[in-house]
């Protein structure tokens, strides 16, 4: 659902840019409460994993494909504020390095693919977790439903943005019907990927999943006829290094982007298909980064298509994990500074 330059006019592109900037600013502040010394590097990994999986277009209908948006996955794994930042980092890397998603449309894409998907998915997820039994299977089930609903919600958001700022005269009713219809199907693929990933992490390290916090109840001992909480001085889960999870996630991301992506569907994704069918793309502009050495997810001057795409994917994962980890470590350090003894000496 990467919106290119030319789909949305300048005033609305600027307005969504302001919305996106405000959302990122709020998320930077909110992420301070979500990130700690364990989750900061994992948040960078989540961004890289989303980048890798977005390269894996899967068929959803005749001549149409879809790919992960990632808002639900990021929100559940690392928190809603950090999730907005994860997807925003991915969109920024894709727009600048790979000419995927217009630069003037970056505000539209962040608002639609990062903010809307994350907010809708996490709201649905939290509502379901409150009513479902407190067990790991409930986290996976809630993740599936949240992801399913987040994708058509993004399709509706794009339709509304296009209704007020579209550059072509196309029936909004037809656009809405086509967009929601195809993205409901894409949402099923999104949900499957999200549920499988969340379920896998919850199975081995539930303490690292933001959405699973509070899932495990404190152990209790009977003392003098009364139940008391067992002192939580050195929880086993926290003591285990998260290094294996990080390495496993990074290797998986590199394999997906560097090898599996070659076998992804070549059909246009949902937005591209609707745009071509309905004439939305009549005023599409050439991407400002069209001459990038990595444009269209290939390395310039590398003739072999498999090698070119694989190298581009590996480079993308590397750049995204470095950029994401840098952002999240900076946010975490800011949090540490905010709660340092010097900052509380007057309290």
């Amino acid at each position: 659902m990467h919106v290119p330059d030319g789909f949305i006019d300048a005033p609305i592109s600027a307005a969504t840019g302001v919305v996106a900037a405000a959302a990122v600013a709020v998320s930077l502040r909110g992420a301070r409460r979500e990130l700690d010394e364990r989750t900061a590097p994992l948040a960078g990994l989540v961004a890289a994993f989303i980048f890798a999986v977005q390269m894996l277009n899967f068929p959803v209908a005749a001549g149409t494909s879809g790919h992960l948006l990632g808002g639900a996955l990021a929100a559940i794994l690392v928190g809603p504020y950090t999730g907005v930042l994860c997807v925003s980092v991915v969109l920024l890397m894709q727009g600048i390095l790979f000419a995927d998603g217009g630069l003037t449309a970056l505000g539209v894409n962040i608002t639609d693919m990062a903010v809307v998907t994350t907010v809708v998915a996490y709201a649905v997820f939290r509502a379901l977790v409150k009513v479902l039994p407190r067990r790991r299977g409930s986290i996976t089930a809630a993740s599936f439903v949240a992801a399913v609903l987040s994708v058509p919600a993004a399709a509706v958001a794009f339709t509304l943005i296009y209704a007020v700022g579209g550059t072509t005269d196309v029936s909004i009713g037809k656009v809405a019907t086509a967009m929601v219809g195809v993205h409901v199907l894409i949402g099923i693929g999104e949900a499957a990927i999200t549920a499988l990933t969340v379920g896998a992490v919850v199975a081995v390290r539930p303490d690292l999943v933001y959405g699973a916090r509070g899932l495990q109840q404190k152990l209790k001992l009977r003392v003098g006829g009364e139940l008391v909480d067992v002192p939580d001085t050195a929880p086993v889960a926290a003591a285990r290094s998260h290094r294996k999870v990080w390495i496993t996630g990074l290797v998986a991301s590199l394999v997906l982007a560097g090898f599996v992506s070659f076998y992804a569907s070549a059909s246009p994704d949902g937005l591209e298909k609707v745009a071509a069918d309905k004439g939305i793309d009549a005023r599409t502009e050439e991407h400002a980064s069209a001459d990038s050495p990595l444009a269209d997810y290939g390395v310039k001057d590398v003739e072999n298509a498999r090698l070119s795409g694989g190298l581009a994917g590996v480079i993308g994962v590397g750049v995204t994990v470095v950029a994401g980890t840098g952002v999240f470590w900076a946010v975490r350090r800011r949090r540490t500074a905010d709660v340092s003894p010097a900052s509380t000496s007057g309290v």
Side-chain angles (χ1 to χ4, degrees):
M1 201 184 292
H2 295 75
V3 179
D5 296 321
F7 274 27
I8 307 299
D9 63 25
I12 299 303
S13 294
T16 54
V18 172
V19 172
V24 169
V26 171
S27 297
L28 284 169
R29 189 173 185 86
R32 297 181 199 173
R33 300 190 297 271
E34 296 172 348
L35 295 170
D36 55 31
E37 65 279 358
R38 293 178 304 153
T39 56
L42 291 175
L45 177 62
V46 169
F49 183 77
I50 290 173
F51 173 90
V53 180
Q54 282 196 2
M55 294 182 66
L56 308 180
N57 282 46
F58 48 85
V60 295
T64 310
S65 69
H67 62 71
L68 183 81
L69 298 185
L73 178 62
I76 295 166
L77 287 179
V78 293
Y81 293 108
T82 309
V84 170
L85 298 178
C86 282
V87 182
S88 297
V89 167
V90 172
L91 293 171
L92 185 62
M93 295 299 101
Q94 290 171 332
I96 293 176
L97 297 179
F98 298 92
D100 189 10
L103 297 184
T104 62
L106 185 60
V108 175
N109 286 320
I110 289 177
T111 300
D112 194 23
M113 296 177 65
V115 179
V116 172
T117 58
T118 301
V119 170
V120 170
Y122 197 72
V124 172
F125 175 81
R126 292 308 308 171
L128 290 174
V129 167
K130 288 182 179 179
V131 299
L132 292 173
R134 291 170 58 87
R135 55 174 180 256
R136 294 178 182 179
S138 298
I139 301 297
T140 304
S143 300
F144 186 94
V145 177
V148 163
L149 296 178
S150 70
V151 178
V156 171
F158 168 79
T159 303
L160 294 175
I161 293 172
Y162 189 81
V164 295
T167 56
T168 56
D169 186 15
V170 179
S171 169
I172 298 303
K174 292 181 179 180
V175 173
T177 301
M179 284 291 293
V180 173
V182 71
H183 284 90
V184 166
L185 299 177
I186 294 173
I188 297 173
E190 174 107 9
I193 295 170
T194 300
L196 286 172
T197 305
V198 171
V201 180
V202 166
V204 295
R205 290 296 302 269
D207 59 302
L208 295 180
V209 178
Y210 185 88
R213 294 183 179 185
L215 180 65
Q216 296 175 325
Q217 297 181 345
K218 286 181 175 294
L219 296 175
K220 293 181 179 293
L221 291 176
R222 187 174 296 279
V223 179
E226 296 183 358
L227 290 175
V228 297
D229 291 333
V230 174
D232 192 20
T233 55
V236 176
R240 296 203 305 263
S241 171
H242 61 265
R243 185 175 300 174
K244 288 185 178 179
V245 175
W246 195 92
I247 293 175
T248 301
L250 180 60
V251 171
S253 299
L254 291 171
V255 170
L256 291 173
F259 178 73
V260 181
S261 62
F262 181 78
Y263 301 97
S265 173
S267 298
D269 65 25
L271 177 59
E272 291 172 336
K273 179 65 173 176
V274 172
D277 290 347
K278 305 301 179 183
I280 295 175
D281 58 356
R283 298 188 179 180
T284 303
E285 300 174 3
E286 185 179 12
H287 200 286
S289 299
D291 294 331
S292 167
L294 299 172
D296 297 323
Y297 297 95
V299 177
K300 189 175 182 180
D301 297 329
V302 176
E303 300 298 332
N304 185 283
R306 185 191 297 268
L307 179 60
S308 178
L311 286 174
V314 169
I315 292 171
V317 168
V319 171
T320 303
V321 76
V322 169
T325 302
V327 169
F328 298 125
W329 269 115
V331 172
R332 186 243 172 191
R333 289 184 64 185
R334 180 66 180 271
R335 171 193 177 184
T336 302
D338 288 344
V339 298
S340 64
S343 66
T344 57
S345 60
V347 178

